[in-house]
Amino acid sequence: MFDGSQKIGGEGKIVHIDESKFGKRKYHRGHHVKGQWVFGGIEQQSTKCFMVAVDKRDEVTLLPLIERWIEPGTVIISDCWKVFCNFEKHGYTHRTVDYSQEYVNEDRDSTNKIQGHWRQAKVKLPTFGVRKYHFSSYLAEFMWRYKNREDDLFEIFLRDVKKLSNPVEVLTFSGFYTQLLKLRS
């Protein structure tokens, strides 16, 4: 996921963005009491996506993520949250869906694709025993599986492991683990 990270969108492409809270409910009822906020986007006609764990959901935090992950010239569809109001200043076309009035606007825009993406991610991620400092690795695994869902995951895994390390060292777990630690630092 680190080597394959690339911007999504571009001229004539549409990206749906949103933020969602991942967490557990107390006694499986009511609102979420603990959890992690995640900001993400997904390209409308492909499997290209990004998901980033965030501590704050303000413009100062989210705008650099948009610039990091979404190509200028992209049409961005989001809800009417006030943080998303300045995209035009940064080279994006912004269209919104106001959930208080409609789920599909007059241009037939909706955020259904990103909402479905959140639903899939929340089902796949573990619900108990998730440490906050490991949360990004769970997101990376989900995105890797989502991106490669049409292929043989074992073959793709072996190909990706080969990219990360010297194939001779992979024969020992300690060599593989050493290579992963080098990548993290």
Side-chain angles (χ1 to χ4, degrees):
M1 290 306 296
F2 299 119
D3 288 343
S5 63
Q6 60 182 347
K7 288 187 174 189
I8 64 175
E11 289 294 327
K13 297 202 176 173
I14 297 173
V15 172
H16 301 246
I17 64 167
D18 196 19
E19 76 287 335
S20 184
K21 189 168 188 182
F22 286 63
K24 61 182 181 178
R25 293 171 290 167
K26 192 171 185 177
Y27 306 116
H28 302 289
R29 294 191 179 133
H31 67 284
H32 292 269
V33 291
K34 291 183 181 179
Q36 174 68 54
W37 282 103
V38 177
F39 176 69
I42 187 165
E43 201 172 280
Q44 186 165 325
Q45 298 296 326
S46 74
T47 60
K48 294 179 182 177
C49 65
F50 71 92
M51 297 171 92
V52 181
V54 294
D55 291 325
K56 294 182 179 179
R57 299 176 301 137
D58 58 359
E59 187 173 5
V60 173
T61 304
L62 299 184
L63 189 57
L65 292 174
I66 290 167
E67 291 174 334
R68 159 72 176 93
W69 288 103
I70 302 175
E71 290 283 352
T74 302
V75 175
I76 295 177
I77 299 175
S78 71
D79 55 19
C80 291
W81 197 36
K82 65 180 178 178
V83 171
F84 298 146
C85 66
N86 292 321
F87 291 156
E88 283 83 13
K89 295 178 186 175
H90 300 279
Y92 303 100
T93 302
H94 187 215
R95 300 195 308 228
T96 60
V97 178
D98 186 357
Y99 292 139
S100 66
Q101 298 176 3
E102 60 200 1
Y103 288 101
V104 178
N105 68 12
E106 65 274 355
D107 295 327
R108 305 200 41 80
D109 295 328
S110 72
T111 58
N112 289 344
K113 184 151 184 169
I114 189 70
Q115 299 300 332
H117 200 58
W118 293 137
R119 209 169 10 262
Q120 286 179 358
K122 288 177 181 182
V123 167
K124 299 290 183 188
L125 266 63
T127 54
F128 297 101
V130 176
R131 301 274 189 252
K132 195 167 187 171
Y133 56 88
H134 287 304
F135 195 80
S136 292
S137 63
Y138 289 118
L139 289 176
E141 179 186 353
F142 169 76
M143 288 185 295
W144 180 82
R145 288 177 179 274
Y146 182 79
K147 177 182 168 190
N148 298 301
R149 70 181 186 268
E150 302 292 325
D151 302 319
D152 180 10
L153 290 180
F154 186 68
E155 279 186 34
I156 302 297
F157 173 76
L158 292 177
R159 182 199 67 204
D160 289 348
V161 167
K162 186 177 178 182
K163 284 184 203 174
L164 289 175
S165 62
N166 181 349
V168 175
E169 289 183 3
V170 172
L171 296 175
T172 65
F173 178 76
S174 61
F176 177 66
Y177 187 70
T178 303
Q179 289 293 325
L180 287 176
L181 290 178
K182 285 180 188 176
L183 286 172
R184 291 191 82 193
S185 58

